[in-house]
Amino acid sequence: MEVYLDNNATTMVDPEVYKAMEPFFCHIYGNPNSLHKFGAGTHPKMIEALNYLYEGINAADEDDIIITANATESNNTVIKGIWVDKILNGNKNHIITSEVEHPAITATCKFLETQGVSVTYLPVNEEGILEASVVKDYIKEDTALVSIMWANNETGKIFPIKEIGAICKEAGIPFHTDATQAIGKVAVDVQDCNVTYLSLSAHKFHGPKGIGALYVEKGYELTPLLHGGEQMGGHRAGTVDVASMVGMGLAMKLATSPMALAYENNHVRKLRDKLEDAILEIPETIVIGGKDNRTPNTTLISIRGVEGESMLWDLNQKTIGASTGSACASEDLEANPVMNAFGSDSELAHTGVRLSLSRFTTEEQIDYAIKVIKGAVNRLRDISSSYAYTPKNHVSQL
Ligand SMILES: Cc1ncc(COP(=O)(O)O)c(C=O)c1O
């Protein structure tokens, strides 16, 4: 049996989405910017897709949604756009973000620091959550942007976006949220949460890879990251990948309908809890950051005495795909910065295994995964040189 438990890295394209994309490769292939019928023939489905995106995040008609290549581009567009508009060409010089953002945010901020920008990386609490009051404490006169993710890719922890949005609104500071891991898992409402900019990536919610979007609230235009043609009203140059845009739109519709969100919150959550509870029956295992306030599909578990990398190897041998952290960081074996941000011991940081489900995960797959994981823990603890000798204080320390 093959079991894919790495849906926070990427998801399978929903077959319905794939089917909707197909005509746009060999039949309806005109450039949407061309004036002839081949170009114009792409428009109805593009408009439909855009409408699905607006509905999926409850954007207002006057707001803008820019099609990008992925969340990385959306995040770069916001942070570098703010840098140009408010820092280089304005009188601000400060950005607030968190210590646990995806590298698409932190690496961009680190780059801006080399250019003289001051960046505050806010810590999370012992549950892995950024408290809204902390954001308020760090806002300064020259703060140009607050950028806080909606849900964390490693832990699934959901941040208090509504409260942070209200704080930013009161302070008159634009608020960006990276909602890449929230779409299709929890309700996302940009108006209710006073969001100014929002990033998303289609491949995280059963859409195709290589396409994403950036929501921009009315009145908050940004200097573009990509200059060139007049596509996207001049906000993002480059011919739009029509097939992918159509796929992203439908994927958004399918993932964010009230029924889909209820399924995620009930059925997917139940399977995740079944998997998690079975692993927690093994002595000296914990859910990193605890069980509260998480996306329903994610668990990040530490199994004392078992290196995350070794566990992945064993799981892979039994055709189960999981992760020790975000796939983007998996080529270096440095402890995961998100786990380090908990301020816990380095063993914890090296023993985390992230299991992330989707609406396509079945109960049979979960049963198989439980069996394999239990066997792998026994095997790896048996051969571990450190396990028997490590003081058994792991659980009490957390
Ligand atoms: C929270 C978050 N932001 C941004 C990204 C980057 O997404 P992409 O690789 O599609 O640009 C990811 C990918 O894992 C993510 O989890």
Side-chain angles (χ1 to χ4, degrees):
M1 183 182 286
E2 289 195 348
V3 185
Y4 184 71
L5 295 175
D6 202 11
N7 286 280
N8 285 10
T10 197
T11 58
M12 177 187 90
V13 173
D14 186 318
E16 202 179 326
V17 167
Y18 179 61
K19 207 163 134 216
M21 291 171 67
E22 263 193 315
F24 295 89
F25 292 99
C26 300
H27 298 292
I28 315 170
Y29 53 81
N31 186 321
N33 293 93
S34 299
L35 296 176
H36 46 63
K37 81 179 190 82
F38 298 93
T42 63
H43 292 185
K45 282 288 179 190
M46 288 176 81
I47 292 165
E48 185 180 82
L50 209 47
N51 283 336
Y52 290 149
L53 295 180
Y54 272 79
E55 281 166 26
I57 58 172
N58 193 30
D61 287 347
E62 317 80 55
D63 298 338
D64 201 3
I65 291 184
I66 300 168
I67 304 301
T68 62
N70 45 41
T72 299
E73 185 191 323
S74 302
N75 288 343
N76 269 263
T77 303
V78 173
I79 292 176
K80 290 176 182 163
I82 289 286
W83 177 43
V84 172
D85 297 341
K86 298 217 180 272
I87 296 176
L88 295 178
N89 295 319
N91 58 356
K92 312 269 184 185
N93 194 40
H94 179 228
I95 290 175
I96 294 177
T97 187
S98 81
E99 279 182 354
V100 296
E101 300 293 315
H102 187 272
I105 295 287
T106 43
T108 311
C109 287
K110 295 272 176 214
F111 164 70
L112 291 200
E113 283 186 284
T114 68
Q115 305 302 305
V117 178
S118 156
V119 181
T120 301
Y121 301 90
L122 300 176
V124 290
N125 64 18
E126 64 284 354
E127 290 187 355
I129 292 195
L130 178 71
E131 286 163 25
S133 60
V134 179
V135 176
K136 196 168 185 173
D137 291 345
Y138 282 86
I139 287 178
K140 299 193 290 188
E141 189 95 321
D142 71 340
T143 303
L145 179 75
V146 171
S147 179
I148 303 293
M149 67 199 330
W150 200 298
N152 184 265
N153 38 304
E154 319 281 1
T155 56
K157 289 285 172 169
I158 300 165
F159 288 2
I161 292 304
K162 189 165 174 170
E163 286 94 318
I164 297 171
I167 289 167
C168 292
K169 187 170 185 199
E170 199 190 326
I173 296 167
F175 172 42
H176 169 243
T177 183
D178 178 355
T180 306
Q181 295 290 347
I183 303 287
K185 300 183 186 136
V186 292
V188 168
D189 184 329
V190 287
Q191 295 188 66
D192 186 44
C193 295
N194 286 307
V195 171
T196 319
Y197 308 108
L198 176 143
S199 304
L200 59 89
S201 225
H203 72 102
K204 306 286 189 182
F205 51 92
H206 302 290
K209 294 171 187 57
I211 189 136
L214 173 62
Y215 160 83
V216 180
E217 188 184 354
K218 183 187 175 216
Y220 285 88
E221 275 190 26
L222 288 165
T223 289
L225 187 66
L226 301 183
H227 293 88
E230 277 303 303
Q231 293 92 351
M232 292 288 137
H235 296 302
R236 196 272 190 180
T239 305
V240 175
D241 177 343
V242 180
S244 292
M245 181 172 167
V246 168
M248 174 163 66
L250 182 57
M252 176 67 107
K253 181 185 177 206
L254 295 173
T256 59
S257 71
M259 228 170 74
L261 289 175
Y263 188 84
E264 193 79 17
N265 199 32
N266 297 318
H267 187 75
V268 177
R269 181 185 296 277
K270 226 157 78 192
L271 289 185
R272 188 273 313 268
D273 289 350
K274 179 175 185 181
L275 174 64
E276 188 173 84
D277 290 345
I279 299 172
L280 290 175
E281 284 171 5
I282 304 168
E284 298 183 277
T285 50
I286 54 150
V287 174
I288 296 174
K291 291 181 169 186
D292 294 338
N293 294 319
R294 289 179 300 162
T295 47
N297 77 316
T298 306
T299 180
L300 180 64
I301 288 200
S302 164
I303 303 166
R304 198 174 76 82
V306 176
E307 283 280 325
E309 294 292 330
S310 314
M311 177 57 113
L312 290 201
W313 175 261
D314 268 31
L315 295 186
N316 192 41
Q317 295 293 96
K318 305 271 188 203
T319 57
I320 298 175
S323 164
T324 51
S326 99
C328 324
S330 62
E331 275 170 28
D332 66 67
L333 291 180
E334 289 291 300
N336 188 320
V338 172
M339 282 186 263
N340 284 340
F342 283 96
S344 306
D345 58 88
S346 71
E347 188 192 0
L348 180 75
H350 283 100
T351 55
V353 174
R354 182 185 72 183
L355 304 161
S356 47
L357 290 67
S358 86
R359 64 176 186 257
F360 292 101
T361 308
T362 66
E363 184 143 22
E364 292 70 38
Q365 290 174 333
I366 292 300
D367 290 339
Y368 174 71
I370 290 169
K371 212 171 89 196
V372 171
I373 289 169
K374 287 190 166 174
V377 173
N378 285 339
R379 192 186 85 77
L380 292 166
R381 279 184 172 170
D382 275 353
I383 60 170
S384 164
S385 55
S386 62
Y387 179 63
Y389 298 105
T390 310
K392 299 203 170 186
N393 58 3
H394 184 69
V395 176
S396 60
Q397 276 179 1
L398 293 161

